[in-house]
């Protein structure tokens, strides 16, 4: 590592009793740890500093470019505590490379892979006590992000950028646990267009999903499903997850990566786990009409959402103002649940890591 981290410990961390109270029921997204990472990049100088500092607000000029033009990218990755107390993360080099892909699209500097992985290690070194015990799907959700911190109101790629990492102890993403969720079909709202930023993990994609997400929430759905912007006929992904369809004949299909969909690491891993089982997984265009017909005829037996936050969550219904497509109540051994068990067993160190996906952080 060419860049050395400077560590400034939080003089006022939460007490052990306060922390333990949080870790009893870590509602997704609600809590933070005691520290954060901040690395600074300047044009012509590159990455000039790397620090671990107490968690707290960012001091930023109101003219900082990120606040006006949304020049921002982020990642989501979890730390898992194993039964022996050690702390691990899942495929961090994949997240590092995706952050670089996102950064290129948003004209932000690339965080070197080794700096990305080291930043996770540094945060865990001071906040290890925040990684929950391995029960009830508890983990430490880590959020690395890059922001255009330069104060300049002209529109151009920022010349001063911050890379930060914060962390949040979490339980399941959906409060109802692993019950099938209802999905709202976004018929009048697109998330990503051709040559747009759909493949990048950038705030704007999420901001543009919120109107449809809110409409979905108001209609009893917990996620929104976007169709391709060009024809409005093919399924792309959910607001914060990829999705799969399981066919009666054993095949599985997921929308192909065509530049408008996030290259989900859970998606990629599930494809590999299914292929290990000899399941044929197709990455292809899937139209809403095919899903409508498949559910009506019984050809589609199951659908599930996947992502770091959601892990794998079965889908019970797809809904819009004009229709409700209901999947059959899952049989005795739905694929989604057996994949969920297999994946989480690897992540929590209960099963052999035959692909070498796990990376020790502490
Ligand atoms: N699609 C979107 C829009 C997401 O926000 C996420 C979450 O990160 C995913 C898919 C799933 O990606 P991953 O499995 O890498 O978390
Ligand atoms: C993740 O799964 O890491 C995400 O960023 C998605 C979001 C719904 C929390």
């Amino acid at each position: 590592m060419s860049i050395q981290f400077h560590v400034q410990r939080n003089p006022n961390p939460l007490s052990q009793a306060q922390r333990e109270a949080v870790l009893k029921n870590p509602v997704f997204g609600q809590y933070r740890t005691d520290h954060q990472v901040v690395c600074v990049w300047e044009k012509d100088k590159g990455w000039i500093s790397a620090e671990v500092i107490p968690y707290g607000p960012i001091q930023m000029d109101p003219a900082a470019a990120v606040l006006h033009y949304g020049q921002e990218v982020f990642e989501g990755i979890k730390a898992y505590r194993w039964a022996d107390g050690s702390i691990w993360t899942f495929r961090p080099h994949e997240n590092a490379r995706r952050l670089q892909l996102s950064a290129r699209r948003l004209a932000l500097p690339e965080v070197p892979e080794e700096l990305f992985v080291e930043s996770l290690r540094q945060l865990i070194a001071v906040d290890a006590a925040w990684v929950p015990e391995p029960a009830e799907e508890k983990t430490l959700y880590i959020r690395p992000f890059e922001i255009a911190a330069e104060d300049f109101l002209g529109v151009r790629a920022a010349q001063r950028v911050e890379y930060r990492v914060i962390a949040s102890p979490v339980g399941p993403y959906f409060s109802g646990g692993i019950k099938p969720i209802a999905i709202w079909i976004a018929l009048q709202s697109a998330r990503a267009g051709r040559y747009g930023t759909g493949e990048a993990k950038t705030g704007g994609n999420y901001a543009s999903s919120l109107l449809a997400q809110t409409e979905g929430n108001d209609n009893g759905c917990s996620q929104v499903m976007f169709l391709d912007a060009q024809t409005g006929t093919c399924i792309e992904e959910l607001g914060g997850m990829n999705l799969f369809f399981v066919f009666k004949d054993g095949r599985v299909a997921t929308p192909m990566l065509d530049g408008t969909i996030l290259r989900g690491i859970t998606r990629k891993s599930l494809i590999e786990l299914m292929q290990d089982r000899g399941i044929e997984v197709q990455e292809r265009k899937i139209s809403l009409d095919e899903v409508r017909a498949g559910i009506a005829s019984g050809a589609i037996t199951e659908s599930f959402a996947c992502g770091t936050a959601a892990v794998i969550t079965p889908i019970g219904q797809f809904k819009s103002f004009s229709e409700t497509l209901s999947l059959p109540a899952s049989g005795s051994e739905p694929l989604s649940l057996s994949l969920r068990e297999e994946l989480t067993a690897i992540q929590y160190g209960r099963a052999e890591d035959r692909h070498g996906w796990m990376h020790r952080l502490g």
Side-chain angles (χ1 to χ4, degrees):
M1 266 295 305
S2 51
I3 194 158
Q4 287 296 314
F5 272 81
H6 176 260
V7 179
Q8 183 195 336
R9 279 197 172 257
N10 190 334
N12 299 304
L14 238 56
S15 70
Q16 186 179 344
Q18 286 169 314
R19 193 178 56 239
E20 281 170 3
V22 168
L23 294 182
K24 268 205 183 99
N25 181 25
V27 176
F28 196 99
Q30 202 162 310
Y31 303 102
R32 308 296 158 250
T33 63
D34 295 312
H35 297 87
Q36 63 184 316
V37 165
V38 53
C39 303
V40 175
W41 174 94
E42 285 181 9
K43 191 173 187 290
D44 303 327
K45 292 189 185 152
W47 293 100
I48 55 175
S49 62
E51 287 179 288
V52 176
I53 60 172
Y55 189 87
I58 299 179
Q59 194 172 11
M60 186 173 276
D61 193 284
V66 63
L67 301 176
H68 302 266
Y69 309 124
Q71 197 192 359
E72 183 272 354
V73 294
F74 68 96
E75 271 304 323
I77 184 167
K78 283 175 169 171
Y80 307 84
R81 189 180 291 283
W82 286 10
D84 66 2
S86 59
I87 299 170
W88 299 73
T89 193
F90 183 70
R91 308 189 84 174
H93 291 275
E94 293 284 340
N95 294 82
R97 287 194 284 269
R98 188 170 65 187
L99 187 67
Q100 292 180 338
L101 179 146
S102 302
R104 283 196 293 277
R105 181 63 185 84
L106 272 287
L108 284 162
E110 289 177 28
V111 174
E113 251 177 82
E114 67 274 27
L115 176 58
F116 179 91
V117 177
E118 180 64 9
S119 70
L120 307 183
R121 210 188 59 77
Q122 290 281 343
L123 192 61
I124 293 300
V126 289
D127 279 340
W130 282 99
V131 183
E133 291 301 319
E136 299 148 27
E137 211 182 277
K138 291 181 193 173
T139 58
L140 185 68
Y141 182 79
I142 306 176
R143 171 55 61 84
F145 61 106
E146 266 184 278
I147 50 176
E150 186 191 8
D151 51 325
F152 180 69
L153 284 179
V155 180
R156 67 157 192 234
Q159 302 190 352
R160 185 176 181 284
V161 170
E162 290 179 5
Y163 164 63
R164 289 181 181 253
V165 188
I166 59 171
S168 171
V170 298
Y173 188 72
F174 295 111
S175 51
I178 325 177
K179 289 209 293 280
I181 54 170
I183 304 290
W184 186 247
I185 310 169
L187 292 175
Q188 302 211 310
S189 175
R191 172 187 177 277
R194 196 170 170 211
Y195 304 136
T197 56
E199 201 176 39
K201 202 161 167 63
T202 181
N205 292 341
Y206 297 81
S208 73
S209 76
L210 293 178
L211 186 61
Q213 172 75 37
T214 306
E215 192 176 76
N217 291 154
D218 292 346
N219 286 281
C221 295
S222 29
Q223 273 281 300
V224 58
M225 179 172 82
F226 290 99
L227 306 175
D228 73 293
Q230 227 167 350
T231 69
T233 58
C234 287
I235 290 167
E236 297 218 308
E237 64 177 321
L238 306 184
M241 289 148 220
N242 296 113
L243 83 170
F244 283 86
F245 295 92
V246 183
F247 290 79
K248 200 176 174 179
D249 62 11
R251 282 174 302 129
V252 173
T254 187
M256 62 198 268
L257 302 173
D258 62 355
T260 55
I261 297 176
L262 197 78
R263 295 175 165 267
I265 295 158
T266 318
R267 174 190 182 280
K268 179 176 180 173
S269 308
L270 293 182
I271 291 174
E272 291 177 54
L273 291 180
M274 285 188 266
Q275 285 169 342
D276 290 351
R277 295 187 189 186
I279 295 172
E280 184 193 335
V281 187
Q282 303 173 332
E283 296 181 71
R284 62 171 173 85
K285 285 193 187 302
I286 302 169
S287 70
L288 182 55
D289 277 345
E290 178 184 354
V291 169
R292 241 179 227 129
I295 291 178
S297 71
I300 293 178
T301 52
E302 211 183 316
S303 177
F304 56 88
C306 70
T308 300
V311 194
I312 301 170
T313 303
I315 294 172
Q317 286 183 328
F318 294 96
K319 284 166 73 169
S320 69
F321 285 121
S322 56
E323 65 186 336
T324 297
L325 311 170
S326 295
L327 283 146
S330 30
S332 56
E333 280 192 31
L335 183 61
S336 57
L337 294 191
S338 77
L339 286 171
R340 175 182 247 278
E341 176 48 36
E342 186 176 1
L343 181 67
T344 52
I346 294 170
Q347 291 170 330
Y348 285 98
R350 297 192 305 263
E352 187 204 343
D353 176 20
R354 61 182 186 277
H355 290 281
W357 285 340
M358 301 311 292
H359 180 100
R360 189 162 182 178
L361 290 179

